Amino acid sequence: MLSGSDTGIGHALAKYLDSLGFVVFAGVLNKDGPGAEELRRSCSQRLSVLQLDITNTTQVKEAYLTVSEKVQNAGLWGVVNNAGILGFPADGELLPMSTYRHCMEVNFFGAVEVSKTFLPLLRKSQGRLVNMSSMAGGIPLPRYAAYGASKAALSMFSGVMRQELSKWGIKVMAIHPSGFRTGIEGTAEQWDKQEKELMENLPADTRQAYGEEYLLGLKNYLLHLPSHCAPDLSPVLGSVLDALLARRPQGLYTPGKGAYVPLCIFCCFPLWFYDFF
């Protein structure tokens, strides 16, 4: 069972696992949207599309009942918490509190609720819980205070659950991809709305301290973000597959160029060196 299958990594992963013969329960934010329709059209009949807004407790429970009815006593082999949002990438001081709350609600609390709800099915099969975190969840990256904090919380949750659930044979893994082109960047309309909220809530002295030129440059940074991201998602898909199938999966996967090196520098060098880097 995986969440966030409308677009990006979740969409590609649903197709990939279906092509390998898995029975896939693909949770989508909109079961009538283009992503869900594409899955129905291109995948086998083994794949089931589930309406799943992970911030909606009722939908999470309904998804659990649907899945448990289909798997029955066999249990569920894997849950992949993939659904997530980026939020407007900007300095932590500039971000409105609504961005922090929204990132935590989706990227952390939603994933925790899905995990807790589906654990009885994983316990039956001694299965796998895979949490899609981020490179920003393992190391501090400028302009990702809200997103990074929510993903760091998810990574810590993964580590604790890995220790606590091992007595039932359940394996828990976190994935920390580097920059991939996933669609999480959102649409121009979404960004215009978030940018407007950010600008309207800035105190005058803060706006003056940063300067208009810098504030306008945030949107240019965002618009050019996809060009710095890798279009090939196969390293992430391969990591998730290994997490699901390996006899001894890694607790942490870092797919993509640039994901492992900054983590090593952060862990092994003085902080001043990492900050300079």
Side-chain angles (χ1 to χ4, degrees), residues 86-108:
L86 180 62
F88 196 96
D91 300 61
E93 182 183 6
L94 303 176
L95 291 172
M97 286 306 300
S98 60
T99 299
Y100 285 95
R101 292 190 180 98
H102 195 198
C103 281
M104 290 300 293
E105 191 67 34
V106 177
N107 298 344
F108 179 60

Side-chain angles (χ1 to χ4, degrees), residues 181-192:
R181 208 173 298 166
T182 65
I184 197 174
E185 301 88 4
T187 65
E189 293 78 12
Q190 288 172 318
W191 291 125
D192 287 341

Side-chain angles (χ1 to χ4, degrees), residues 16-98:
Y16 179 57
L17 295 177
D18 178 73
S19 72
L20 294 175
F22 282 77
V23 176
V24 179
F25 299 96
V28 295
L29 188 60
N30 181 6
K31 65 180 177 63
D32 299 317
E37 289 299 328
E38 166 65 17
L39 290 177
R40 292 190 191 97
R41 184 170 60 251
S42 62
C43 295
S44 73
Q45 292 185 342
R46 289 187 306 273
L47 184 139
S48 302
V49 174
L50 305 176
Q51 175 60 46
L52 183 59
D53 175 353
I54 62 170
T55 65
N56 185 317
T57 299
T58 301
Q59 289 189 17
V60 174
K61 287 179 179 175
E62 287 174 351
Y64 170 77
L65 291 173
T66 300
V67 172
S68 58
E69 186 179 335
K70 291 197 176 185
V71 301
Q72 295 186 353
N73 291 330
L76 181 69
W77 179 249
V79 170
V80 182
N81 281 308
N82 167 75
I85 59 165
L86 180 62
F88 196 96
D91 300 61
E93 182 183 6
L94 303 176
L95 291 172
M97 286 306 300
S98 60

